[in-house]
Amino acid sequence: MIQILSHRGYWKFPAEKNTVEAFVRSFSLGYGTETDVRDCLIGGKPRLVISHDIPDGTEISFAYLLSIARQHGSPTLALNIKADGLHDMLAEVLAAEGYDNYFLFDSSVPDLIQGVKRRMTSFTRLSEYERVPSLYNEPGITGVWLDNFLPGRWYEAPLVEKLLDDGKLVALVAPDLHRRNDEYEPFLHWLVSSGLRDREGLMICTDFPEKAKELLRV
């Protein structure tokens, strides 16, 4: 059955994105979440923080996010890596918090290689601009982040089925993340009619997780 990931937590207003309130709301309703990880110099020391844009040091720490998630049953965390060279710090914090229900994605290819070398759970990418997924068969590449930047859907169910049959997890980027809200409900109905909704190993990342739960009936 498909798994729902909220995008930057389950926020009601844009200012709530990547905040404690949004994460607690998401986890309390049983959703995993996607979020953004960057490094920031705080008190003269590098720290990992949750921030989509360049951080200023006021953001919540990555370690604190993990502690909140653990308190809510350790849901899936999709970690969008916004800067290169963070793998050692990421591994250290994940180990310290005892958190293993995560995957890294959106790393550059050189950084993706570093994740593979460190045996960190990582997703490669597919989109209309990236038709060949980097490092697809490398150990540690457990899934595919399947994106769709342009209007319409460039892929069909057989592609998703093949990825799943290859033993990969697949996270679908819902069209609302690219401000195509008019495509959102048709996309959800397609997931049902195609039978993909019932496949194990499939995820959807969206700003509207409750709408996804309602229409997908999960």
Side-chain angles (χ1 to χ4, degrees):
M1 186 67 73
I2 195 167
Q3 181 181 359
I4 299 171
L5 304 176
S6 63
H7 180 235
R8 304 182 198 168
Y10 183 13
W11 51 273
K12 298 289 188 176
F13 306 98
E16 291 182 343
K17 293 179 182 180
N18 280 334
T19 64
V20 171
E21 183 176 7
F23 293 132
V24 169
R25 181 184 295 123
S26 180
F27 300 151
S28 297
L29 292 171
Y31 306 126
T33 197
E34 180 270 358
T35 191
D36 308 286
V37 182
R38 287 183 177 271
D39 55 325
C40 184
L41 200 63
I42 300 175
K45 295 183 179 180
R47 297 284 186 264
L48 294 179
V49 298
I50 302 302
S51 184
H52 178 268
D53 301 313
I54 296 174
D56 60 16
T58 63
E59 299 80 8
I60 68 171
S61 71
F62 177 50
Y64 188 46
L65 168 65
L66 295 182
S67 70
I68 296 170
R70 280 195 297 103
Q71 293 168 20
H72 290 83
S74 298
T76 301
L77 298 180
L79 304 176
N80 188 334
I81 305 306
K82 291 294 186 180
D84 285 357
L86 303 185
H87 282 88
D88 288 341
M89 292 175 66
L90 285 162
E92 181 180 353
V93 177
L94 287 163
E97 293 293 332
Y99 210 98
D100 58 10
N101 190 16
Y102 75 92
F103 64 87
L104 313 179
F105 77 99
D106 262 10
S107 301
S108 66
V109 172
D111 220 40
L112 187 61
I113 293 170
Q114 295 305 312
V116 168
K117 286 182 177 180
R118 290 164 174 76
R119 300 184 180 277
M120 300 185 73
T121 305
S122 303
F123 277 30
T124 185
R125 288 183 52 87
L126 270 180
S127 74
E128 56 267 73
Y129 300 111
E130 305 150 292
R131 296 298 182 104
V132 178
S134 301
L135 282 72
Y136 185 76
N137 293 313
E138 290 293 326
I141 302 297
T142 62
V144 176
W145 188 261
L146 185 51
D147 214 335
N148 198 146
F149 292 98
L150 301 176
R153 181 169 31 80
W154 67 270
Y155 59 88
E156 297 295 339
L159 172 61
V160 182
E161 295 278 3
K162 181 184 184 305
L163 298 173
L164 293 169
D165 290 342
D166 284 348
K168 302 297 185 185
L169 301 171
V170 178
L172 303 175
V173 175
D176 59 292
L177 298 196
H178 295 298
R179 301 182 181 180
R180 302 197 308 274
N181 291 357
D182 59 314
E183 296 182 26
Y184 186 51
E185 289 196 16
F187 176 74
L188 297 176
H189 289 305
W190 171 76
L191 287 174
V192 175
S193 64
S194 67
L196 288 173
R197 174 198 61 181
D198 301 317
R199 285 296 306 260
E200 294 294 330
L202 192 63
M203 310 173 199
I204 177 176
C205 185
T206 175
D207 282 328
F208 306 114
E210 288 192 286
K211 175 62 71 174
K213 182 176 182 179
E214 174 191 349
L215 295 185
L216 294 174
R217 300 188 293 278
V218 295

